[in-house]
Amino acid sequence: MAASNKQASERSVVAATFAAIALFVISWTLLHVSFYKHSQLIDTPVYQRYGNAIADGKVPYRDFELEYPPGALPVFALPGLARPGHDQQVSPSFRRAFETLMWLCGAAALMSMAVVLRKLRRSDTSVWAALCFAAVAPLLLGSVILSRFDLWPAALVTAALAALVSGRLRVGHALLGLGVTAKLYPAVLLPLSVAYVWKRAGRREALACLALALGVVAAVFAPFVIVSPGGVWHSLSVQLRRPLQVESLGSALLLVGHHLFGLGVRGETSHGSQNVAGTAAEWLAVASTVVQAGVLIWIWAAFVRGRNDAEALVRSTAATLCAFVAFGKVLSPQFPIWLIPIVPLVRGRRGLLASALLGVALVLTQTWFPFRYFRLALNFEEGLSWLLLARDLTFVAVVAVLVVTLRRTSATRPESP
């Protein structure tokens, strides 16, 4: 976010944090009224089924299939243990317990953001703008944030970043490892975090931090691998083998090509999502993965070559997460949740622009999800296809803004505010 020269006081940061949490309460409440409560597409029945199974003494991966890594289990088990519901219809008590847990994760992410902003010595304007944007972002994205557990890994990633910029290098890597066990995607941040430690504290400390992160991952996975190696491998392979999901950039290009040039497009439902099938979709899925990997490697390399301060780490973290979302072969409607507590932390005019573009992308997502989702996913409606392409290109624009920032800050001179 944009900054002035005057550093925010600790009292101002605390006040902004409490104000943002209050604003987050209001946002969370408004998501339960008016048009937000209509046509919801929720995952909580699936989570409740997992929670009920755990409450009944069943072992995940061995006694029932689970598509998520074991670090996600607490957010399923705790509401399920509180009061088991019914498998086919989510119980009000489970839903309330789950949403409360997600709200707590969101509030924790806001507090971690405040720590980062304080350590980076941001101005009052920057602190208030970043925290308030994150607090109202749920209203921009819509009700999907209520029934997905993505605030849990997002909170862990934000806490890890706060620990790293605070000099708690090993704590940061432990939290990052825990985030990997919750939803895998934080693994793309490990090259940045290890390089950050290497240049600040030396090779030995960097390797110790990497070992700690991998040790946390191993410790969480190990009991389930021992009990059911096939079940754990199945849960991971299902995610890795997902086809081109209908909301991805590759799919958006195909759908627009279908309407403009008559390209043959057909859909299929598998891996828990609606996808685009066919030879062109398969090639685009491969191309998306290649482009995604190439952009990520470029960002990592730019960080290694560039400055090694906390500002550079924050910018590179935001760029990495945005690139992972924008160019992946899967872009589920909850993925933008990962970006909400990170992108507003980027300093300067480019950080402000990136946050504004993120806000546009969140609003565009809500134009079809959940209200018109199946008109897009099953019928490939033309107007919605163009909105999808606009949204996905907006994510690409966020990446472009942040990557240009990285290139400029690889030089010795600091970025202008």
Side-chain angles (χ1 to χ4, degrees):
M1 286 290 188
S4 66
N5 293 325
K6 186 177 179 181
Q7 177 185 341
S9 66
E10 184 175 351
R11 178 177 295 182
S12 179
V13 173
V14 171
T17 304
F18 277 106
I21 291 175
L23 196 55
F24 187 50
V25 171
I26 295 172
S27 299
W28 202 262
T29 302
L30 291 177
L31 288 174
H32 293 82
V33 300
S34 188
F35 67 92
Y36 286 113
K37 66 180 182 180
H38 300 306
S39 305
Q40 291 187 357
L41 299 175
I42 61 176
D43 278 2
T44 37
V46 178
Y47 303 161
Q48 180 177 261
R49 187 163 64 248
Y50 297 151
N52 289 348
I54 295 170
D56 290 338
K58 295 181 180 178
V59 178
Y61 306 106
R62 186 192 69 183
D63 300 331
F64 63 94
E65 288 188 358
L66 180 71
E67 62 179 300
Y68 303 110
L73 290 173
V75 298
F76 309 145
L78 292 176
L81 291 172
R83 179 175 294 183
H86 302 287
D87 285 344
Q88 300 302 319
Q89 184 176 3
V90 64
S91 70
S93 59
F94 184 93
R95 185 167 185 170
R96 283 194 300 269
F98 177 79
E99 289 183 7
T100 300
L101 198 56
M102 289 302 100
W103 182 90
L104 291 172
C105 289
L110 287 172
M111 289 187 283
S112 295
M113 288 179 67
V115 172
V116 174
L117 294 166
R118 175 62 176 163
K119 291 297 180 180
L120 296 181
R121 301 179 179 180
R122 296 293 174 77
S123 69
D124 282 330
T125 302
S126 280
V127 171
W128 282 84
L131 292 175
C132 289
F133 174 86
V136 302
L139 295 178
L140 305 181
L141 181 59
S143 61
V144 64
I145 201 169
L146 298 175
S147 63
R148 305 299 193 275
F149 76 94
D150 293 76
L151 278 171
W152 167 230
L156 290 172
V157 167
T158 314
L161 185 60
L164 289 171
V165 301
S166 300
R168 307 278 184 167
L169 304 179
R170 296 192 180 189
V171 173
H173 280 82
L175 289 169
L176 202 54
L178 189 58
V180 173
T181 70
K183 205 164 184 179
L184 298 185
Y185 80 87
V188 300
L189 301 177
L190 278 173
L192 296 177
S193 63
V194 172
Y196 179 74
V197 177
W198 192 303
K199 294 203 288 183
R200 292 180 70 89
R203 180 179 64 178
R204 183 173 181 177
E205 182 64 18
L207 293 177
C209 287
L210 176 61
L212 180 60
L214 296 178
V216 170
V217 174
V220 174
F221 269 88
F224 302 98
V225 172
I226 292 171
V227 171
S228 179
V232 174
W233 171 247
H234 175 74
S235 72
L236 297 176
S237 62
V238 164
Q239 298 298 320
L240 296 175
R241 292 186 287 104
R242 291 185 66 174
L244 192 68
Q245 192 255 352
V246 74
E247 294 173 272
S248 65
L249 176 60
S251 172
L253 293 172
L254 275 180
L255 295 184
V256 169
H258 168 71
H259 294 297
L260 285 179
F261 309 113
L263 294 178
V265 177
R266 63 181 177 88
E268 67 171 16
T269 298
S270 65
H271 298 78
S273 65
Q274 283 66 49
N275 313 300
V276 179
T279 303
E282 292 174 358
W283 278 103
L284 274 173
V286 174
S288 295
T289 303
V290 171
V291 171
Q292 181 190 56
V295 175
L296 291 177
I297 292 171
W298 190 94
I299 293 170
W300 299 337
F303 177 73
V304 170
R305 294 194 307 267
R307 294 164 52 197
N308 188 42
D309 56 18
E311 291 283 5
L313 177 65
V314 168
R315 287 189 293 269
S316 299
T317 297
T320 296
L321 290 179
C322 288
F324 185 77
V325 169
F327 297 111
K329 62 180 179 179
V330 178
L331 209 173
S332 297
Q334 65 268 26
F335 285 10
I337 296 172
W338 309 344
L339 310 179
I340 289 172
I342 301 298
V343 172
L345 298 175
V346 177
R347 179 179 180 271
R349 292 186 295 270
R350 294 186 183 278
L352 181 61
L353 178 57
S355 297
L357 289 170
L358 174 60
V360 171
L362 297 180
V363 172
L364 287 173
T365 301
Q366 197 174 171
T367 59
W368 69 80
F369 192 93
F371 312 108
R372 305 171 186 87
Y373 174 71
F374 289 109
R375 287 162 54 182
L376 169 67
L378 301 181
N379 301 328
F380 306 144
E381 189 171 301
E382 183 173 2
L384 296 178
S385 297
W386 282 102
L387 285 173
L388 170 65
L389 180 61
R391 192 281 304 266
D392 291 348
L393 290 178
T394 303
F395 279 127
V396 174
V398 177
V399 177
V401 168
L402 295 174
V403 163
V404 168
T405 304
L406 287 176
R407 292 183 63 185
R408 290 192 173 186
T409 54
S410 292
T412 56
R413 70 179 188 277
E415 182 194 7
S416 61

